[in-house]
Amino acid sequence: MAEALGHLCQGEALIAQLEDTPWRRQCELDLTIAIGMAQIATQGYAMVSTGDTFRKAQALCARLPDPPQTLAVMHGLWTHALMRADFPAAQRLANEVYERGAERSKPGSDPIWSLMGHRFRGCTRYFLGEFSEAVADVDAGLALYDPARRAMYAAFTVDDPKVVMLLYRSWALMCMGRFADANMYSDMTIHEARQIGHVYTLAHALCGRAFVTLTLGTPVEALRDIEELEAVLADNGIAYYEAVASILRGWCLAAQGRFESGLPLIACGLAAYRAAGTMLYVSGFLRMSAEAHGGRKGPPRHWRWSKRHWP
């Protein structure tokens, strides 16, 4: 991803020297979106530079006649807002995509806008605590998903929408107390991601299942997903998941009484997470840090933030 970003930025500098024509605007839009996706991987969703790139792409879209890349730009802007915990902006963008999908939902038309509208709304609703509504939205999105069009979906997002929707379905069901279903959909997420063989999608799936396992299982079980996630990251340098993996590994080690190893990992991961401008999970990570430090004050014991926290 780092090498890709370097080449893309060189291309952007070269194309700026060309005459301002529709062809140049189209090429510049493609390059700008690709730069934004590479920035998500190497720097993070919430970095100011990532948001600036997608806002530039949005301005380029306005200079072209309804380019299909507009959906990719909306995805970039939505994820940027969501990861900065700007829920009003994320909700507005999700609804805009959903409404555009409804406008385009004629017989025989491409349902991609509707699919992504349901994905955006479902994910946003999860973070707003609207769990049953989130499940309804992701189910509607999953019904529109066509496996034969995976390559096309990849042009709009950095990860596969089906895997993401299955993951959020799992999380929402877990928050609704349906633990067996949450585990089942979490496993489906991993299976689907491995079949696709896309690095960023697999990283997202492994991180997502680790969260489920941390909540419903044991630290030892969660470490298996975290170790696989770290192996995936070792060769690909996905900054966001490197920070999250450090926090989750640190918590698992502290939960086993290995505080000297675990606490520095939590602190390092949380610092990297915040440095990227990301706010979405900070409160949860701070709670994990507090629990890890609290565990250190007593005798080493096995503990977990699991079902005992649920009503």
Side-chain angles (χ1 to χ4, degrees):
M1 283 294 182
E3 290 84 356
L5 183 57
H7 285 298
L8 291 165
C9 289
Q10 287 182 44
E12 184 183 41
L14 289 170
I15 206 166
Q17 302 171 24
L18 300 179
E19 182 184 356
D20 186 12
T21 64
W23 178 85
R24 177 211 148 152
R25 294 172 196 167
Q26 183 65 62
C27 291
E28 188 175 8
L29 175 59
D30 289 338
L31 274 171
T32 303
I33 291 170
I35 287 170
M37 290 183 174
Q39 286 175 320
I40 286 173
T42 57
Q43 300 167 22
Y45 299 92
M47 287 290 284
V48 171
S49 55
T50 304
D52 288 344
T53 297
F54 282 106
R55 279 187 286 273
K56 176 185 175 183
Q58 187 178 38
L60 288 167
C61 284
R63 299 172 64 195
L64 291 165
D66 192 24
Q69 295 94 330
T70 300
L71 183 54
V73 175
M74 296 293 286
H75 175 264
L77 292 171
W78 171 73
T79 54
H80 179 72
L82 188 67
M83 298 309 292
R84 293 178 74 86
D86 185 352
F87 297 122
Q91 197 167 31
R92 174 180 56 77
L93 289 161
N95 287 333
E96 184 178 342
V97 173
Y98 175 80
E99 288 162 8
R100 286 201 194 188
E103 291 170 4
R104 297 170 184 234
S105 60
K106 298 176 182 177
S109 63
D110 185 353
I112 180 66
W113 278 85
S114 291
L115 187 160
M116 296 304 288
H118 283 297
R119 173 195 167 172
F120 293 3
R121 289 209 319 172
C123 295
T124 306
R125 283 176 157 174
Y126 167 80
F127 291 109
L128 294 173
E130 299 171 0
F131 303 125
S132 59
E133 293 87 348
V135 170
D137 259 317
V138 298
D139 282 351
L142 288 167
L144 294 170
Y145 184 89
D146 182 358
R149 310 192 76 185
R150 273 181 175 149
M152 185 199 73
Y153 301 145
F156 294 107
T157 67
V158 294
D159 40 25
D160 182 75
K162 181 177 182 180
V163 170
V164 174
M165 288 187 287
L166 287 171
L167 173 59
Y168 277 88
R169 195 181 205 285
S170 171
W171 286 2
L173 291 171
M174 179 174 66
C175 292
M176 293 164 70
R178 294 171 57 182
F179 301 137
D181 289 339
N183 278 318
M184 179 183 71
Y185 277 96
S186 181
D187 290 342
M188 286 173 60
T189 301
I190 297 292
H191 175 74
E192 193 74 21
R194 286 183 176 141
Q195 280 194 319
I196 296 169
H198 178 252
V199 168
Y200 203 95
T201 296
L202 181 58
H204 197 160
L206 288 166
C207 186
R209 187 169 72 173
F211 173 60
V212 174
T213 310
L214 280 169
T215 308
L216 303 180
T218 68
V220 173
E221 292 169 329
L223 272 174
R224 296 180 195 137
D225 285 328
I226 295 165
E227 286 167 359
E228 185 177 351
L229 171 61
E230 289 170 337
V232 169
L233 298 177
D235 294 327
N236 296 283
I238 303 174
Y240 175 82
Y241 290 113
E242 287 176 347
V244 175
S246 179
I247 296 168
L248 299 185
R249 173 178 278 279
W251 189 92
C252 287
L253 294 177
Q256 298 174 69
R258 298 161 64 183
F259 300 107
E260 297 304 321
S261 300
L263 294 178
L265 285 174
I266 295 174
C268 181
L270 189 52
Y273 192 83
R274 285 174 140 170
T278 320
M279 291 298 297
L280 187 59
Y281 297 105
V282 166
S283 58
F285 292 152
L286 286 172
R287 186 197 51 72
M288 293 173 74
S289 177
E291 187 168 37
H293 280 85
R296 188 179 192 179
K297 296 185 180 298
R301 58 195 177 89
H302 175 80
W303 46 264
R304 60 181 178 171
W305 59 292
S306 64
K307 296 174 188 176
R308 63 190 172 86
H309 291 278
W310 298 94

